[in-house]
Amino acid sequence: AQSVTQLGSHVSVSEGALVLLRCNYSSSVPPYLFWYVQYPNQGLQLLLKYTSAATLVKGINGFEAEFKKSETSFHLTKPSAHMSDAAEYFCAVSGGGADGLTFGKGTHLIIQP
Amino acid sequence: GAVVSQHPSWVICKSGTSVKIECRSLDFQATTMFWYRQFPKQSLMLMATSNEGSKATYEQGVEKDKFLINHASLTLSTLTVTSAHPEDSSFYICSASRSGKTYEQYFGPGTRLTVT
């Protein structure tokens, strides 16, 4: 069984500042981890994924995440926030096989001008 | 590549009627498709997993007789909400994965269902 905890339902940063969205996971098997972004009334767009290769994963739009097994974390970062980054972000975990994804509750990212 | 479409993008139906939502993988064969439900300002909850040609596997608490899933081909899965009620109003999102990479899912744009 897997679970995901996203700390902070809302995160507010100034434009140009560092973005840090936190995700901790629990998994009984080596996990596959994902970050998705969702804009209002739209589906999910994959930002990046960890699939047991490099622990530092680079994604689209300047985002990256680091898998830390000892901390069971997969935090999402971006060095400099842009107004277009304002959206809902979901961390998700899969145990592989034919499992569906287990999502965290999401973090709403607010960018202040 | 790996594009998933859903139709319709939004639908309004009256209480007691049934509505069908289609999920298609446009440029790949999807051996497994997943259906999720998302309530306003909440996360996605997995409803069921379907493999082409076999019966869907439903998550605990999801009524299989109410949410009928058919995965008739490698590019099409349908979700039928039968005898819809206002509490079924939600955002339904499907995803699809290829053979051998079921952990990597490609999501459709979602279908907004409103039951009046």
Side-chain angles (χ1 to χ4, degrees), chain A residues 14-80:
Chain A
S14 299
E15 189 175 17
L18 172 72
V19 174
L20 171 60
L21 304 183
R22 300 178 185 274
C23 172
N24 288 89
Y25 71 91
S26 172
S27 178
S28 56
V29 297
Y32 297 98
L33 293 158
F34 308 83
W35 274 101
Y36 290 90
V37 61
Q38 184 180 36
Y39 296 97
N41 296 310
Q42 294 187 27
L44 301 181
Q45 182 181 10
L46 179 66
L47 286 175
L48 48 78
K49 61 180 184 283
Y50 168 77
T51 58
S52 75
T55 56
L56 181 62
V57 181
K58 294 187 183 299
I60 61 172
N61 301 338
F63 285 95
E64 62 180 38
E66 186 172 9
F67 172 69
K68 292 187 176 180
K69 184 178 178 180
S70 60
E71 300 178 7
T72 60
S73 69
F74 190 58
H75 301 331
L76 181 71
T77 60
K78 181 174 180 178
S80 177

Side-chain angles (χ1 to χ4, degrees), chain B residues 42-93:
Chain B
Q42 295 189 29
S43 189
L44 285 78
M45 298 296 293
L46 179 65
M47 298 176 66
T49 303
S50 71
N51 293 291
E52 184 264 339
S54 59
K55 289 184 177 181
T57 301
Y58 291 81
E59 295 298 301
Q60 191 172 9
V62 178
E63 299 176 58
K64 61 180 66 175
D65 294 331
K66 180 169 190 59
F67 299 100
L68 301 179
I69 292 172
N70 183 280
H71 193 162
S73 75
L74 285 172
T75 59
L76 173 65
S77 176
T78 59
L79 167 67
T80 302
V81 183
T82 63
S83 187
H85 290 284
E87 56 265 31
D88 298 325
S89 298
S90 189
F91 196 49
Y92 293 88
I93 305 176

Side-chain angles (χ1 to χ4, degrees), chain B residues 5-7 27 38 42 48 68 70 79 84 89 106 111 113-114:
Chain B
S5 70
Q6 281 185 243
H7 177 79
D27 53 2
Q38 184 179 30
Q42 295 189 29
L68 301 179
N70 183 280
L79 167 67
S89 298
Y106 304 96
T111 296
L113 170 64
T114 301

